Amino acid sequence: IIQPKHPLKEKLKQAGYKMTDITHVILTHLHFDHSGGATIYNSDGDLVPAFPSATYYISKSNWNAGLNPSPRDSASYLGLNYIPLSETDQLRLIDDNTAIMEGISTLVVNGHTYGQQLIKIESEGDILIFCADLIPLRSHIQIPWIMGYDLNAVLTLEEKTDFLNKAAKDNWWLWFYHDPKTIAVKIRKSKKYFDVTEEVFRQ
């Protein structure tokens, strides 16, 4: 499969939207695979926000991490994806665990990288959490399965255990960013870890 030159633009077009229609962009964190596409080259060759009508939201702590990355994850922070945002009035640096608008808020975890925002969406009695890199794949629901590139694996383990207990108790949908097969699941507590009770697959 050949990726189009502007994949975000093409995906939005398929859904009936234009880049100018987007008003809010919430960046979970500034690693290149989560912030890539936030900026684009204009006709003059300058990097500008890809969504000209949008406000971009990032946690203050992750913005600082992106400006001063540790040697451990410096290769994952590419300034061209986000530094140009600071030269506009479209960037909003927000506190941890902030309400963006009615029904949309952030949950900050720090094990993967400082200030990573999970996105919590509440609508019609359901709660969906965009898990970002706290739980990138369905298989990471098993508590001991921690990614090798997390800054602090022990902290990730603590954050993940607390998060999954809440998700099971409150019947949250968990939406995975990196899983090629599963979009989202609901879970329940089992004797050892957690079992999947509902699952939505990619087409």
Side-chain angles (χ1 to χ4, degrees):
I1 297 175
I2 300 175
Q3 181 167 283
K5 185 176 181 181
H6 300 295
L8 285 174
K9 184 177 181 179
E10 289 302 313
K11 283 295 184 183
L12 285 171
K13 184 178 179 181
Q14 291 173 23
Y17 294 96
K18 302 185 296 294
M19 299 290 276
T20 52
D21 293 329
I22 305 303
T23 58
H24 295 70
V25 175
I26 306 172
L27 299 171
T28 60
H29 57 301
L30 297 173
H31 284 172
F32 67 88
D33 57 327
H34 289 261
S35 64
T39 61
I40 194 170
Y41 287 102
N42 65 14
S43 57
D44 295 324
D46 299 320
L47 279 167
V48 297
F51 301 95
S53 307
T55 299
Y56 289 74
Y57 298 87
I58 185 70
S59 73
K60 294 175 182 175
S61 51
N62 192 248
W63 180 260
N64 290 332
L67 294 182
N68 304 285
S70 72
R72 178 69 175 81
D73 65 346
S74 60
S76 296
Y77 285 106
L78 304 180
L80 58 83
N81 289 324
Y82 51 88
I83 296 297
L85 301 176
S86 65
E87 300 167 2
T88 74
D89 61 357
Q90 293 177 240
L91 179 65
R92 298 289 181 275
L93 301 181
I94 59 177
D95 293 328
D96 293 357
N97 308 318
T98 289
I100 304 293
M101 63 173 67
E102 184 177 357
I104 300 179
S105 57
T106 66
L107 300 171
V108 168
V109 290
N110 296 289
H112 176 63
T113 190
Y114 297 115
Q116 178 185 201
Q117 302 182 132
L118 312 185
I119 312 304
K120 183 178 183 181
I121 302 171
E122 303 177 64
S123 177
E124 299 180 357
D126 273 328
I127 294 177
L128 180 146
I129 310 291
F130 183 74
C131 296
D133 280 343
L134 177 67
I135 308 174
L137 303 170
R138 182 190 189 278
S139 56
H140 286 104
I141 290 172
Q142 297 190 65
I143 289 177
W145 288 31
I146 303 295
M147 291 183 294
Y149 50 84
D150 283 0
L151 282 184
N152 187 332
V154 173
L155 180 57
T156 291
L157 185 63
E158 294 172 358
E159 292 172 333
K160 183 173 153 183
T161 301
D162 182 57
F163 174 81
L164 288 172
N165 280 320
K166 290 179 181 176
K169 178 177 178 292
D170 295 335
N171 202 34
W172 292 347
W173 281 104
L174 306 181
W175 181 6
F176 308 122
Y177 176 63
H178 287 289
D179 199 295
K181 179 180 178 182
T182 300
I183 295 175
V185 301
K186 287 186 175 183
I187 60 172
R188 68 183 172 204
K189 191 94 166 79
S190 64
K191 286 185 178 180
K192 191 172 184 180
Y193 298 126
F194 298 89
D195 294 328
V196 171
T197 59
E198 295 184 62
E199 189 163 6
V200 179
F201 297 102
R202 299 188 187 281
Q203 299 297 318

